[in-house]
Amino acid sequence: MKQHLRIAILMTFVTTVLFGLLYPLTVTGLGQFLFPAQANGALIVKNGVVVGSQLIGQPFTSAGYFHSRPSAAGNGYDATSSGGSKSRPHESSTAGPRQI
């Protein structure tokens, strides 16, 4: 019984170190080495200030991708003018407010 408990505790410790420390550090290190810009968020810097990321709001037009969320930003992806439009894709903008 004591032998089984000792093995169970040892395996818990080994797998915690392996999958909780070594694996994340290895994957993070490989990402930083192989893809440093993407791993750090592909940040866009303007006049020394981070203004956004190249990875957010990408316009996917290929049939292999899902449709992106509707945006109130108009054409393009202007994060300063985007927000909840509260409209669904099938509603027209001339329909007016819905009466409940």
Side-chain angles (χ1 to χ4, degrees), residues 42-54:
L43 301 176
I44 300 171
V45 179
K46 187 174 184 179
N47 297 328
V49 178
V50 176
V51 294
S53 172
Q54 295 173 344

Side-chain angles (χ1 to χ4, degrees), residues 9-95:
I9 291 171
L10 180 64
M11 285 305 295
T12 301
F13 177 74
V14 168
T15 56
T16 299
V17 170
L18 182 65
F19 298 120
L21 294 175
L22 296 179
Y23 177 75
L25 289 174
T26 302
V27 171
T28 301
L30 283 173
Q32 289 290 334
F33 179 73
L34 297 174
F35 308 103
Q38 293 88 343
N40 292 320
L43 301 176
I44 300 171
V45 179
K46 187 174 184 179
N47 297 328
V49 178
V50 176
V51 294
S53 172
Q54 295 173 344
L55 303 175
I56 298 175
Q58 300 177 44
F60 295 109
T61 56
S62 174
Y65 296 104
F66 288 112
H67 296 285
S68 61
R69 291 177 60 180
S71 175
N75 293 334
Y77 292 92
D78 182 12
T80 60
S81 65
S82 67
S85 62
K86 297 183 183 177
S87 65
R88 296 178 290 214
H90 65 276
E91 290 181 357
S92 68
S93 61
T94 60

